[in-house]
Amino acid sequence: PTMAHSQALLVLENFIGGKFVPCSSYIDSYNPSTGDVYCSVPDSGKEEVEAAVKAAKDAFPVWSSKSPLERSQILNKLADLIEHDLEEFAQAESKDQGKTITFARTVDIPRAVHNFRFFASSILHHVTECTEMPAMGCVHYTSRAPVGVAGLISPWNLPLYLLTWKIAPAIACGNTVVAKPSEMTSVTAWMMCKLLEKAGVPPGVVNVVFGTGAKAGEALVCHPDVPLISFTGSTLTAQRITERSAPHCKRLSLELGGKNPAIIFDDADLSQCIPTTVRSSFANQGEICLCTSRIFVQRGIYSEFLKRFVAEAKKWKTGNPSDPTVDVGALISKEHLEKVRNYVKKAQAEGARILCGEGVDPVALPPGNQKGYFMLPTVIAEVKDESCCMQEEIFGPVTCVVAFDTEEEVIKRANSVKYGLAATVWSSNVGRVHRVAHRLQSGLVWTNCWLVRDLNLPFGGMKASGIGREGAKDSYEFFTEVKTITIKH
Ligand code: NAD
């Protein structure tokens, strides 16, 4: 019985109108670290989305008329409940996604908790605008109201983290939501649904419909009663969503991919820069939209940097994600692993040098993980700027290192990709740091650090990395409709 129990599939159900409801068909979900199917995810379509949108519409009048303080208290309660089960959530995220247990424990789940607490607080502190026109005898002011049913679509790399980054502001502002997590990582969203009632979230305020992008995602995007879509995922999917939502003139927030440069000047503090740049390249298996994948190093320190960077990258241990000493877990899927490996093969064929990792070093995996989707942190040098490895988002543990000579040159090269999400600049010259930061086409620029975030401030990308920004004020503006009212006395 214990064997049968351990092999029993975890079966998820949609969460609609405060109830778990089974679906007529299911999709297999894999444990990336073993390659086994371990979970069945509802394969929802139009019918399920229709039911969820109806539940969300029905819940809207009551939820939207609650005071911000009432909603804030509920969000705080939900944060407490997730935090109480933090270890269980972390284990589930690691198993479902392939990420290390350490990353899930220290980044994913704490941030999901923080997302609810942050918006529970920030919703209490907005003020609207007011202007006076004494000559006309008029005063103008703005008022903000929730929009309605928000459609939220999230990716597989930071499952609960990114989904709650949307749910929290949406419901804090008084909207009701229909969320569709990635079909590859649905478990923690389903676990969160189990806590909603206890937190005091009324039925229908948060509905979760599981399934693929093509079926469930598109049904949500095309639904006439969903006036806004907040999407995080790839640029290609965003193009499709834009097309499909255009007939309805929907409000869109699009957080997309990146091809993020790190620019390292010869006056950088390498003792800080090297470990941080290894982390920015390989954290979460390189599966973070903000990960560095093009490293420009000033020629004078290029060879020293490469030597030290490769030595540091080799220290990262790849293996069973549930082992707390492991730094690199499994990639999300067999197909994705193949795609990432192909980039390394292409670079090799073009004459680039693979300094460590894929194809160069042996991978030692525990017996239970032989069929998992693992890949070592891989460093590529001498790759041309035009190469697909320097132009396209790889989204795996692969980073390219190239040399540059001047500030002017490196800004031009860093900007010469279609993306513009995040950049890092390393230098001890404060003037240079400001100059370069201003000229980079990038929604975020970190200097002498990486991934230090203040959720108050705008987050989002330029160019093919997205449309719109998220953050305390930005999310509030996105999830509310503003009205200007003029009073003549
Ligand atoms: P994806 O675009 O394939 O999928 C994202 C979500 O969209 C999933 O839930 C998917 O089911 C859904 N989807 C797919 N096709 C759809 C359609 N036609 N209509 C509606 N929904 C659809 O992306 P992914 O592979 O899950 O995630 C990786 C990508 O996400 C990378 O490009 C990464 O850079 C990006 N990302 C961006 C950010 C950011 O904040 N800018 C954060 C994390 C990830």
Side-chain angles (χ1 to χ4, degrees), residues 41-54:
V41 175
D43 184 13
S44 311
K46 275 198 179 125
E47 204 179 305
E48 292 75 13
V49 168
E50 185 62 48
V53 173
K54 185 173 181 311

Side-chain angles (χ1 to χ4, degrees), residues 56-72 74 123 144-148 170-176 202 205 479-480:
K57 263 180 89 172
D58 290 348
F60 182 74
V62 171
W63 183 249
S64 58
S65 58
K66 282 193 189 298
S67 71
L69 184 60
E70 280 176 283
R71 293 197 291 260
S72 167
I74 293 173
I123 195 64
R144 283 195 171 265
V147 184
I171 65 172
C173 291
N175 302 283
T176 56
V205 171
F479 285 113
T480 55

Side-chain angles (χ1 to χ4, degrees), residues 153-156 180 183 213 218 231-234 237 256-257 289 393:
I153 302 176
S154 56
W156 48 256
K180 197 215 72 73
E183 62 275 27
E218 287 222 13
F231 168 79
T232 299
S234 65
T237 305
L256 315 177
C289 55
E393 182 182 51

Side-chain angles (χ1 to χ4, degrees), residues 265 267 407 425 427-438:
F265 288 97
D267 59 354
E407 186 178 311
V425 181
S427 168
S428 51
N429 176 334
V430 74
R432 171 186 275 159
V433 154
H434 282 289
R435 268 195 319 270
V436 176
H438 278 278

